[in-house]
Amino acid sequence: MGMDFSEYVDLFIDESKEHLQILSQSLLDLEKNPNNVPVLNEVFRIAHTVKGTAGTMGYLKMSRLTHVMENVLHAVRNNELRIESGIVDILFKCLDALENYLNNIISGGNEGDNEYQEVRDALDDLLKEKKPADGQPGGREGDEAAPGPTECAGNGEAMDDAWDDKVRNAVLSAEEQGIINKAYELHKNVFHVVIRLTATCVMKSARAFIVFQALEQDGEIIKSLPSGEEIEDEGFDREFAAVVVTSKGVEYFQDEVGSINEVENVTINILQPKLADPAAPGGGDGDGGAGAEGAGVAAPPAGQAKDGAGQEGQKPKVSKTVRVDIERLDILMNLVSELIIQKTRLEGIEMNNTTDYHETLESLERITTDLHDAVMKVRMVPIENVFNRFPRQIRDISRDIGKQVELIMSGEETELDRNVIDEIGDPLIHMLRNSIDHGLEPTERRAEVGKDPVGRIYLRAYQEGNNVVIEVEDDGQGLNIAKIKAKSVEKGVVTSEAAEGMTDREFIDLLFKPSFSTADKVTSLSGRGVGLDVVKTKIEGLGGTVEVETELGKGSKFIIRLPLTLAIIQALLVYVGGEKYAIPISTISTITKLMPGDIKLVQNMEVMVQRDVVIPMIRLRGRLDVAESEGYAGPRDGVLVQVRKSDRVYGYVVDRLIGQQEIVVKPLGKMLSNIRFIAGATILGDGNVALILDVNSLE
């Protein structure tokens, strides 16, 4: 056939992921409010869509499971079953099964062998319990349970008729009637084509799309009934229609459309030109045209015409998106990077020091910056994609350990680079688990200390300068510094003498050390010494930082700061010895000239005291082991660059400043991975390479 089936599998996987994510959120909403009809309809629509798409792709186990799931939801919608926690639990098991099927398809290309018979049996048991409602016979397990037009406005037979009327009676605006009049002037025909699909049609919107393609081969569609968005969302029962301008005759479309699979019936009405009312301005020259009455077709009641107008008015809400492979964006990003490197080279060429040269250079700088911003915006994804899966996980975790937990999320619209989004999920779920297990007290303990029995965890995201900040806060017991101190001495992490001189902040930092845990007993969630060290490694690998604020008895807050982009940054170039290094501007708080009298010695360490704050000093030449270059005659101990790391400040002693520059971050490659103190490299204007300092490891 020559078709690339893998392309359809990828599309199926992407769409199914979105469907299952919405299904997870909808089931949580349904558990809180069982009478929420729009949410129930949404759950039904997703089950129906997944059944159809899985069946079309040949994933029959998924299709069969969603079919039984759909029957249960059909019974709920007909008031034959009541939504309760038990039903939601079974529906969540269905969701888990579907996610497992999807993961198998992603990893191995097929669903696997598990039929999830126990889940299907549980669903069948629910169907046996249902009671006939409103005189309808019960037990329609074998039904296809095709959805009525619930997405449009309610359900029931009356709604079907209303839709059929709306489809059969083309309500034309004055503008559309004007187009019809113009078509007749050009000796073309205008047909109102009504298509009825078979009752067994699974993917109605896909079938409608094929019909429209056939109509557009030899014509132009000027209106679809219902609207294109509703057809795409399967917001119709079995009938839909199109108004087509064409040079072909009725028989051609009757044969062409009638021969398409799953089309049961095609009715074609001829729309006539209609001159305007004598009283109406504009006459019959094709500009004015008829009012709301159709041309040669019975007009529906005025109320329906209003409905149509309302739907037209909603169109701006529909956003159009294009799926783009991340590799293509990476290529585009590399091209922008190369452009910025070339711009930097131009800045270094001084031989052509004319006004025109500088104007051109400024223009190039502006264009590259705009292009970089545009590419970055394309790569940005709302953090909502990560946050969405947490409510379900929190529900399951809280049930497992018997604590009542409410997750309050905000800032889901905050955007992060796609590569960061992929990596951030695991660290965040570690921290949320940590908050539930360690942070929140047991329910009875909360009651004793006068707290709400329901523990609250706040997950926030917001932008701050060039960073995105994510906070995980709980209203639990806070970190017990005394307990951390005792554990650290007991495990030999620090000596009891050293522990006496340590600050609370230093004890909190111990939590991020490998295999350090304060849990008294090992549970499925914690106490295995895996968690915060993994979080710290992952976040710092993304160029971010983690810090902790805590108050005993009140709660704790973990704050993650991540850079908005990992590819192009503003940096300060400095000389250390005879070598150039780059320090990210986002980490620098102040730069001061260093005088010999500023340096003090505390416990054999060099520090500088500024506004009663003690700033530890790090001489980069010694720390980086940079040899003195022979030809270098720059000043020594010239400048102190103060770098903020988490909530502390360090001073880096450099020899000389070069200046601020936009640099392209390049990885060092596999051979040079995990080099301490170095975060990457950049190519400078003169073609030389400067190393970028990793402020997280320099302390």
Side-chain angles (χ1 to χ4, degrees), residues 17 35 69 90 107 113 134 153 168 175 366 376 396 412 458 499 520 537 544 560 566 591 595 599 658 671:
K17 274 183 184 171
N35 300 321
M69 185 177 171
I90 294 169
S107 58
D113 301 325
D134 304 327
R168 291 189 192 113
E175 189 184 345
R366 196 166 57 251
M376 282 317 304
D396 292 351
E412 296 97 323
Y458 299 87
D520 293 322
T537 308
I560 296 172
L566 301 176
I591 299 168
M595 300 298 174
I599 302 168
I658 299 169
M671 300 294 286

Side-chain angles (χ1 to χ4, degrees), residues 275 453 678:
L275 301 180
I678 305 299

Side-chain angles (χ1 to χ4, degrees), residues 593-601 606-608 617 619 636-638:
K593 186 90 173 124
L594 196 60
M595 300 298 174
D598 294 342
I599 302 168
K600 306 271 190 294
L601 275 177
E606 288 186 318
V607 299
M608 175 181 174
M617 285 169 52
R619 293 183 183 271
R636 289 169 173 258
D637 298 342

Side-chain angles (χ1 to χ4, degrees), residues 192-320:
H192 172 226
V193 185
V194 181
I195 299 97
R196 182 175 179 82
L197 300 174
T198 60
T200 54
C201 177
V202 176
M203 297 180 70
K204 294 185 296 183
S205 64
R207 190 59 61 195
F209 177 68
I210 291 166
V211 169
F212 283 168
Q213 273 192 319
L215 292 173
E216 283 186 315
Q217 272 181 356
D218 291 281
E220 186 184 345
I221 295 173
I222 62 170
K223 186 181 185 76
S224 74
L225 300 154
S227 69
E229 285 81 28
E230 286 165 322
I231 286 178
E232 202 174 307
D233 292 340
E234 299 205 352
F236 63 102
D237 189 20
R238 283 167 59 194
E239 289 188 2
F240 61 96
V243 177
V244 187
V245 174
T246 178
S247 49
K248 297 282 187 183
V250 171
E251 297 78 13
Y252 173 81
F253 282 115
Q254 198 79 53
D255 295 344
E256 195 72 17
V257 177
S259 64
I260 293 172
N261 282 344
E262 298 186 311
V263 171
E264 188 179 278
N265 183 294
V266 182
T267 310
I268 300 179
N269 300 314
I270 299 169
L271 295 185
Q272 299 296 344
K274 183 167 181 180
L275 301 180
D277 230 36
D285 59 0
D287 296 329
E293 303 98 324
V297 183
Q304 282 180 22
K306 252 187 224 162
D307 266 0
Q311 282 148 5
E312 293 297 318
Q314 289 173 4
K315 274 191 183 176
K317 287 186 185 172
V318 179
S319 63
K320 293 185 178 173

Side-chain angles (χ1 to χ4, degrees), residues 383-390 393-394 397 407 409 416 420-436 457-461 468-473 531-532 534-536 538-539 542 546 558-562:
I383 205 164
E384 182 179 17
N385 292 15
V386 181
F387 280 15
N388 273 346
R389 63 181 200 245
F390 295 147
Q393 289 175 311
I394 296 298
I397 293 166
L407 178 65
M409 301 193 299
L416 260 175
V420 179
I421 288 281
D422 289 344
E423 299 291 329
I424 197 69
D426 289 346
L428 283 178
I429 197 64
H430 265 311
M431 294 170 86
L432 289 166
R433 284 167 174 261
N434 196 56
S435 289
I436 295 175
I457 295 178
Y458 299 87
L459 181 58
R460 307 184 189 94
V468 167
V469 181
I470 303 170
E471 295 179 354
V472 178
E473 183 179 3
L532 291 180
V534 176
V535 169
K536 188 170 195 237
K538 199 90 172 208
I539 299 298
L542 294 168
V546 188
F558 287 78
I559 302 158
I560 296 172
R561 281 191 169 76
L562 290 162

